[in-house]
Amino acid sequence: MTTAPLSRLRLRPRLRLTGRLPAARHLVLLPLSLLMVVPFVYMLGASVMTRAQLNRFPPPLVPPGIDLTGYRGLLTDSQFPRWFLNSVIVAGVIVLSQMLLCSMAGYAFARMRFVGRKVALVLVIATTLIPFQLTVIPTFLIFNKLHLINTLGALIVPQLASALGVYLMTSFFQNFPRELEEAARIDGCSRFGVFFRVVLPVARPALAALAVITFIYAWNDLFWPMVAISSQENYTVQAGLATFQGQHRADWPQIMAGTVLTTVPVLVVFLIGQRRFVQALAGAVKG
């Protein structure tokens, strides 16, 4: 009767010791993670240095003091608040649009049976193989005819939907249980009722992943805003920060301060949606 408790007591210390030992992959990932964090830490420190300190060779790795001249100049001497607001509007509208349109298209490809469904899905995914630089001229001419050049609409409309978003949502809905939809249809829900009341609430991981990917891409986009926007009041933060660096002069304190303020929203969005982001990508890979 006493042998079983004694064996358990003997095994408990061993289990605790083995649980505390780090895995081999952690010993590799920890230095790599620190290596990835170093540029961000230096960027944060450089944003509170003076121009003379940053132009010194070699520049100091640790700021001797805290100087907020770069932040003050960024917020008062430039249109950075307006650029930040433009980026919030553009990225916010694009994220909401892709969450709606891509989920509807993905649900149609996953559930509805129509002629050429597989061919259409392959053609949609194949568009990701075409570089945007090849289509920038016809896109510019089309938006010029629509009188949308040099407006925020020129930045929003081309990204209202994406092939990656359609593929991600299609992969998620293919693994979605049909029983829930059939039960809702028996209760009298229409196709749109099933989609908005049953399917979308369960598709939160995929929608969160799509929102994170779309926001990061829309927020960091530089090429198309530099082509489609000519007035500085309609710049996004990425296009606006490019104006601080000229051919013979670069205002590094303001560039570093602007980069820090521009990176914060991306980090916040990713940290909020990282768990659902990983879940959705794992489901897409299985599908």
Side-chain angles (χ1 to χ4, degrees), residues 53-67:
Q53 292 171 350
L54 289 176
N55 291 332
R56 188 185 308 166
F57 184 81
L61 297 178
V62 179
I66 298 178
D67 186 87

Side-chain angles (χ1 to χ4, degrees), residues 1 29 53 87 102 127 129 171-172 181 206 245 253-254 266 269 283:
M1 297 295 294
L29 293 177
Q53 292 171 350
S87 292
C102 292
T127 58
L129 302 177
S171 300
F172 180 84
E181 301 176 50
Q245 187 172 3
Q254 293 189 13
V266 178
V269 170

Side-chain angles (χ1 to χ4, degrees), residues 260-281:
V260 170
L261 297 179
T262 304
T263 308
V264 169
V266 178
L267 293 178
V268 171
V269 170
F270 183 77
L271 291 177
I272 293 175
Q274 63 175 344
R275 180 176 300 178
R276 297 185 181 274
F277 177 79
V278 174
Q279 292 176 358
L281 290 185

Side-chain angles (χ1 to χ4, degrees), residues 14 25 43 64-65 92 100 107 115 134 136-137 155 165 168 210 234 248 253 260 270 283:
R14 295 182 181 180
R25 62 178 180 272
M43 176 183 67
L100 177 62
Y107 182 75
V115 179
L134 296 180
V136 64
I137 294 178
L155 307 180
L168 179 63
L210 178 60
N234 291 329
H248 303 288
V260 170
F270 183 77

Side-chain angles (χ1 to χ4, degrees), residues 70-151:
Y71 288 94
R72 286 194 295 265
L74 182 70
L75 299 177
T76 58
D77 299 339
S78 67
Q79 301 185 41
F80 184 84
R82 177 65 181 269
W83 301 337
F84 195 91
L85 178 61
N86 291 340
S87 292
V88 171
I89 295 173
V90 171
V93 174
I94 291 174
V95 167
L96 295 177
S97 174
Q98 290 210 19
M99 290 175 65
L100 177 62
L101 298 180
C102 292
S103 60
M104 294 178 68
Y107 182 75
F109 281 120
R111 286 292 186 262
M112 297 181 180
R113 297 294 181 265
F114 53 90
V115 179
R117 177 177 62 91
K118 295 183 179 180
V119 176
L121 180 59
V122 171
L123 291 177
V124 170
I125 298 175
T127 58
T128 59
L129 302 177
I130 304 175
F132 179 73
Q133 288 78 4
L134 296 180
T135 62
V136 64
I137 294 178
T139 304
F140 181 87
L141 295 177
I142 292 173
F143 282 94
N144 189 31
K145 292 291 184 180
L146 297 175
H147 303 286
L148 291 177
I149 293 299
N150 198 28
T151 64

Side-chain angles (χ1 to χ4, degrees), residues 181-204:
E181 301 176 50
E182 294 174 355
R185 294 299 297 271
I186 293 175
D187 291 338
C189 282
S190 61
R191 176 71 74 174
F192 281 99
V194 172
F195 177 74
F196 286 104
R197 296 181 181 180
V198 178
V199 176
L200 280 187
V202 183
R204 291 178 181 176

